[in-house]
Amino acid sequence: MTEGALAPRVADVLSVDADGFRDRAVADADVIKDAIEDGVFDNPQAIVGLEYEFYAIKDDDATLRRVPRRLLELIGFEKELGLHNAEMTTSPQPLNAYGIAAQESEVKARLQTALRVTESERMRLVSDGLWTIPPEGESATTYLTDSIERPADDANGSERSIRIATNMSDSARYHAMANTDQAQSAGMHLDAPHVSLEAETVMPESLITSIQPHYQVAHAIDLPTYFNYAVRVAGPLLALGVNSPFFPADLYDDEATPEDILADSWMENRISVFETVLNDPTTGEGKVRFPHDLESVHEAVDRVADDDTIVPMPVEKGERFDDQFPHFREKHGTYWRWVRPVFGGPTRSAANARIEFRPIPAQPTVRDSTAFLAAFAGLLESLTRLEHPVHELDWELARENFYAAMRDGLEADLTWITNDGKETTDTLDIYEDLLAHAEDGLTNRGLTDEQAAKYLYPLRRRVRQGVTPASWKREHVHAALEDGDSLEEAIATMQRTYVDRQRETLLEGSFADWIGD
C-alpha cells in the first residue's frame, strides 16, 4: 500500500472519539466479567500456544531484508511492525505429551515450508532477539527513522498532516501511534548503554523479536494465582533466555569505545527497546512495564479496560464470540505488560482466560523455543498445584530480578525461595528448584520422565555451562575485537556466525549444540 493510500486510513483512525471508545471498553469489561461468573471462560484442562516472531535477511550476507507482502501471505505468516518482520501463531493444544509435541511439530512444519519459499527469493527468516546488520546500502539509523508526511482528510472532512514511517507495515494502528494526540505518551527513542536515538514514529521497536508462550488456565477465577507465579518466574526465565546484547553498530554513540560497549552492554536490550520506544518517562510508569500482582480475575479485566488509550481504533462487530466485547479486545492490543492476561476465543466453547508470557526473546532454534514453552507451562502447573512458597517472594524483589536478568543474564544476582521455604541467591540452587518444578509439572500432565527431561535439556545445559545466547554473542564479538576488527566488523562477523550455526540447527538441533562439551 502506498503512503498516499495509507494516510487517509490513519486519519480515519485518528477521528475516533477517545472517550466513547474508552466507555465502550469499560462496558465490554462488564460483559467479560459476567461471562466469567457463568463459567464461559473455563476449560477442561490447561492449554498451551505460542507466538513466534522472525526477521528476514538476505541469505548470502545476513543484511536485513524487507519481506514482500505477497510472500507473507504465501507462507501463512502474519505481518508485524517492520517490513522485515514475520510472525507465526500456533494452534492451541492441550498441555500433555501430544500437545507439546504438536506445538513443536507445527512450528517446524510451517517454518520448513517458509524457509523453502523464502530461499527462492534469496531470503532467510532468522530466529533472534534483535537484528544488527541493516539492509544493504542503508544505515540502521536511516532505516528506523525515515518517515514522510502526507496530507489526508479525516472522517470529519478536516485535512491534517499524517506522518508515515517508510519501513513500517501498512497497519493503520502502528502509524496512528505517531500521529494521535496521545503520541506524547510514547517515548519514540532508544535509551540503552551508549545508544541514543530519537525518532518520530515507533519504528525503532521493530529492532526486536520474541517468542510468547501462552498458558490457558482451566478455571478463569484461578487466573490471578497462576499470574502471580508467572510474575515470579519472569526474571529467572529471562536470565536463561537473553539473546540481544548488541545493537547495529551505527546506533552506538560516536564517543563510545568498543571496550566500553562490550563492558557495559546489557544482555537483553530487547527489554529496554520496547520500554523506551513506547514509554515516556515523564508521564508515569508507562504502558510497557513489569506488572503488579493480581488479587482477582475481575481486577485483571479492569486493568485492561482502564489502561491508558493511545490509539482508539474504529471497531466493526464480527461473528466471533469475542466480538461480543470488541472494544475491549481492540484495546488489549496496546495493553503492554511483560506478563499479561488475555480473555478471548473465536467461539463460546473455545473461550478462554490465558496468560501471555512476553519476556523471552526469539531463540537460536525451535527446540530452544519449545523448551521455554514447556518450562513455562510446567512451572505454572507445578508451582500452583504444590503451592510453592515462592509466591511469598516480595513483588519488588521479583521486579528487581527481572531487570537484573535484563542487564546481566545468568550472571545476575537473583533472589528465589526454594521449595523448602528458604530464600537463596545461589544460581545453581535457584535453577535446580525451578527446573525440577518445571519437570514435575510436565510429568504431572502425563509426560514421561524422559520426555520432560528432553524438553528441558537445552535450559539445563545453559545453567550447567553458564552460557546463554547473549553471552555466546558477547564472546564472539570480544574475540573479533581482539583480532583487530572494528566494532562494526566484529558485530557483523558474530551475526553471520549466528546465522550459519542456526542454518545447521534451527529445525533439528539446539543451542546446546553450539556451546560444545
Side-chain angles (χ1 to χ4, degrees):
M1 179 178 295
T2 65
E3 294 89 349
L6 179 58
R9 289 178 51 212
V10 176
D12 287 344
V13 169
L14 297 174
S15 67
V16 175
D17 176 57
D19 291 337
F21 180 89
R22 183 176 59 251
D23 291 344
R24 284 187 282 272
V26 170
D28 284 351
D30 291 334
V31 173
I32 294 172
K33 286 186 280 189
D34 288 343
I36 289 171
E37 295 301 317
D38 292 340
V40 174
F41 289 96
D42 294 344
N43 290 284
Q45 62 178 321
I47 297 173
V48 293
L50 183 68
E51 295 177 54
Y52 200 149
E53 299 171 352
F54 301 83
Y55 63 78
I57 62 170
K58 189 179 174 185
D59 198 24
D60 59 352
D61 64 2
T63 54
L64 199 69
R65 280 282 306 270
R66 299 164 178 87
V67 184
R69 303 297 89 177
R70 60 169 178 78
L71 195 61
L72 273 183
E73 296 175 4
L74 184 61
I75 63 178
F77 280 46
E78 301 161 23
K79 62 186 177 184
E80 252 292 335
L81 183 65
L83 293 178
H84 55 277
N85 291 129
E87 182 180 53
M88 175 197 307
T89 301
T90 64
S91 307
Q93 298 289 342
L95 176 54
N96 55 36
Y98 297 111
I100 296 179
Q103 289 284 313
E104 184 173 19
S105 294
E106 181 179 354
V107 171
K108 287 182 176 180
R110 294 175 61 187
L111 182 55
Q112 183 182 62
T113 299
L115 291 172
R116 287 175 176 169
V117 172
T118 54
E119 184 179 19
S120 65
E121 301 278 343
R122 299 181 180 177
M123 181 186 301
R124 183 172 183 84
L125 296 179
V126 176
S127 177
D128 192 9
L130 194 157
W131 58 264
T132 58
I133 307 179
E136 185 177 15
E138 301 178 59
S139 70
T141 300
T142 300
Y143 183 81
L144 295 171
T145 62
D146 193 26
S147 65
I148 59 175
E149 288 191 350
R150 287 286 184 267
D153 293 335
D154 62 22
N156 300 317
S158 301
E159 184 176 286
R160 61 180 298 168
S161 180
I162 302 297
R163 181 164 296 279
I164 302 294
T166 306
N167 296 302
M168 190 183 290
S169 295
D170 62 356
S171 167
R173 187 186 78 176
Y174 293 149
H175 292 276
M177 290 173 62
N179 293 279
T180 177
D181 293 339
Q182 297 297 316
Q184 67 271 17
S185 297
M188 291 192 284
H189 71 283
L190 297 179
D191 186 7
H194 307 295
V195 172
S196 53
L197 176 72
E198 298 296 328
E200 295 182 287
T201 73
V202 297
M203 183 62 190
E205 196 244 316
S206 72
L207 278 164
I208 58 178
T209 44
S210 67
I211 58 169
Q212 297 169 24
H214 289 228
Y215 178 95
Q216 296 183 19
V217 301
H219 303 288
I221 197 170
D222 295 329
L223 183 141
T225 300
Y226 290 88
F227 183 91
N228 295 345
Y229 274 115
V231 164
R232 280 152 183 78
V233 304
L237 287 181
L238 174 61
L240 276 177
V242 290
N243 193 21
S244 58
F246 295 106
F247 288 90
D250 72 270
L251 296 184
Y252 287 105
D253 299 332
D254 291 340
E255 65 272 16
T257 68
E259 292 74 22
D260 290 340
I261 291 167
L262 194 65
D264 299 336
S265 63
W266 292 338
M267 299 300 261
E268 192 48 51
N269 282 299
R270 174 180 158 267
I271 301 296
S272 65
V273 168
F274 200 24
E275 292 194 354
T276 61
V277 172
L278 294 173
N279 292 343
D280 181 347
T282 67
T283 60
E285 287 186 290
K287 286 174 66 69
V288 184
R289 63 180 185 259
F290 191 76
H292 287 277
D293 288 338
L294 287 172
E295 293 186 6
S296 72
V297 67
H298 284 192
E299 182 185 14
V301 178
D302 288 337
R303 283 189 186 177
V304 178
D306 295 338
D307 194 48
D308 290 341
T309 302
I310 291 183
V311 181
M313 294 287 292
V315 173
E316 296 182 7
K317 193 167 183 177
E319 300 299 322
R320 289 171 53 104
F321 164 76
D322 47 19
D323 285 323
Q324 295 179 34
F325 39 92
H327 291 82
F328 181 97
R329 181 182 170 197
E330 189 68 52
K331 189 169 186 180
H332 185 273
T334 57
Y335 181 72
W336 297 307
R337 304 296 188 271
W338 291 114
V339 182
R340 70 179 182 183
V342 185
F343 301 89
T347 64
R348 186 180 178 89
S349 61
N352 63 85
R354 63 187 186 270
I355 295 169
E356 184 180 309
F357 193 67
R358 300 167 62 83
I360 308 300
Q363 295 295 298
T365 74
V366 172
R367 188 174 176 193
D368 292 298
S369 299
T370 307
F372 277 102
L373 172 64
F376 177 64
L379 282 167
L380 292 196
E381 280 289 316
S382 181
L383 298 181
T384 53
R385 178 174 55 85
L386 299 178
E387 298 182 353
H388 191 287
V390 78
H391 69 80
E392 297 292 341
L393 184 71
D394 187 77
W395 177 84
E396 290 287 351
L397 284 176
R399 184 181 185 277
E400 289 174 13
N401 282 346
F402 183 76
Y403 289 103
M406 174 197 79
R407 293 187 298 270
D408 299 320
L410 272 181
E411 296 182 0
D413 292 326
L414 306 180
T415 302
W416 183 257
I417 298 176
T418 58
N419 192 54
D420 57 7
K422 294 181 180 179
E423 188 172 294
T424 182
T425 58
D426 182 85
T427 299
L428 293 180
D429 288 345
I430 291 171
Y431 286 105
E432 180 180 354
D433 188 73
L434 188 90
L435 294 176
H437 281 86
E439 187 167 345
D440 171 75
L442 294 174
T443 55
N444 189 61
R445 297 301 305 177
L447 278 73
T448 65
D449 291 342
E450 181 180 0
Q451 288 171 328
K454 176 186 174 183
Y455 283 119
L456 298 176
Y457 170 77
L459 306 186
R460 291 190 183 279
R461 186 66 178 277
R462 295 185 189 191
V463 175
R464 198 158 55 237
Q465 299 291 107
V467 178
T468 61
S471 65
W472 181 93
K473 289 179 175 179
R474 182 181 282 181
E475 286 301 313
H476 277 70
V477 169
H478 179 262
L481 291 172
E482 288 285 300
D483 288 341
D485 284 358
S486 67
L487 179 67
E488 182 177 7
E489 291 168 336
I491 291 176
T493 298
M494 173 277 294
Q495 193 67 57
R496 292 182 178 114
T497 303
Y498 180 97
V499 169
D500 288 343
R501 295 305 304 270
Q502 186 171 101
R503 195 187 308 272
E504 300 166 359
T505 56
L506 179 59
L507 295 177
E508 296 300 336
S510 78
F511 179 66
D513 302 324
W514 300 23
I515 59 181
D517 298 325

